[in-house]
């Protein structure tokens, strides 16, 4: 691996996703790029980090950008780890935005987490599909999907 590791981040995400991405980046000796895709804006010129405009022009001005709480959470998670890291804002649908950014920065891998096992996540999966599924079906880069809160059946006796 020679390019950075790109990890999709969002508010409320389990820490394990960023931690695993940081472990991979540190082990490979490459930087970690944390990317936050804001679905309330779209890329005006088609680039991941280029100019963006709100989907709802009457919406809240200045809503785009990386939430300060997310920046602080990631800084706390990566504090003391031996990895160079940065955080970038992206615009639009997360899978497409991550794919564009991965190409733009020459990423070696994209890391995302799975969804929670909740009704709202299941409904989103049915209507829009998962970011992980969109990525691994449309990418030529490796995609590491970090399980978040995996379910293991009680009768699972495969040892």
């Amino acid at each position: 691996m020679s390019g950075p590791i790109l990890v999709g981040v969002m508010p409320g995400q389990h820490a394990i996703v960023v931690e695993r991405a940081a472990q991979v980046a540190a082990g490979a000796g490459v930087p970690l790029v944390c990317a936050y895709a804001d679905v309330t804006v779209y890329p005006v010129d088609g680039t991941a980090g280029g100019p963006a405009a709100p989907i709802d022009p009457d919406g809240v001005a200045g809503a785009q950008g990386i939430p300060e709480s997310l920046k602080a959470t990631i800084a706390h998670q990566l504090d003391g780890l031996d990895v160079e890291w940065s955080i970038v804002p992206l615009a639009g649908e997360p899978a497409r935005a991550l794919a564009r950014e991965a190409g733009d920065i020459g990423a070696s891998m994209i890391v995302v987490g799975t969804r929670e096992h909740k009704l709202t996540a299941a409904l989103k999966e049915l209507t829009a599909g998962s970011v992980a599924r969109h990525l691994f079906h449309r990418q030529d880069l490796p995609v590491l999907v970090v399980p978040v809160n995996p379910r293991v059946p009680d009768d699972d006796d495969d040892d």
Side-chain angles (χ1 to χ4, degrees):
M1 286 190 233
S2 58
I5 302 299
L6 179 66
V7 60
V9 297
M10 62 185 195
Q13 180 176 4
H14 279 269
I16 192 71
V17 178
V18 171
E19 290 168 4
R20 290 286 186 257
Q23 289 172 349
V24 171
V30 297
L32 177 67
V33 177
C34 302
Y36 169 69
D38 186 346
V39 297
T40 66
V41 297
Y42 68 95
V44 174
D45 64 0
T47 61
I55 290 172
D56 178 6
D58 296 328
V60 178
Q64 65 189 31
I66 302 164
E68 290 301 320
S69 61
L70 180 59
K71 291 178 187 178
T73 298
I74 292 171
H76 178 73
Q77 289 172 338
L78 298 174
D79 185 40
L81 297 180
D82 189 23
V83 65
E84 175 189 333
W85 67 277
S86 60
I87 185 166
V88 296
L90 304 179
E93 193 274 320
R96 290 177 196 241
L98 287 168
R100 282 191 307 267
E101 182 70 6
D104 290 350
I105 66 172
S108 295
M109 174 186 292
I110 301 172
V111 179
V112 293
T114 59
R115 290 201 177 148
E116 289 276 352
H117 299 294
K118 295 180 181 176
L119 179 59
T120 54
L123 291 173
K124 283 182 185 177
E125 176 105 15
L126 285 173
T127 57
S130 73
V131 172
R133 181 173 297 142
H134 284 279
L135 283 170
F136 66 69
H137 282 296
R138 299 179 183 156
Q139 270 304 302
D140 57 356
L141 288 176
V143 177
L144 174 61
V145 181
V146 179
V148 173
N149 192 18
R151 283 198 248 170
V152 179
D154 292 336
D155 63 350
D156 185 13
D157 58 359
D158 293 342
D159 290 322

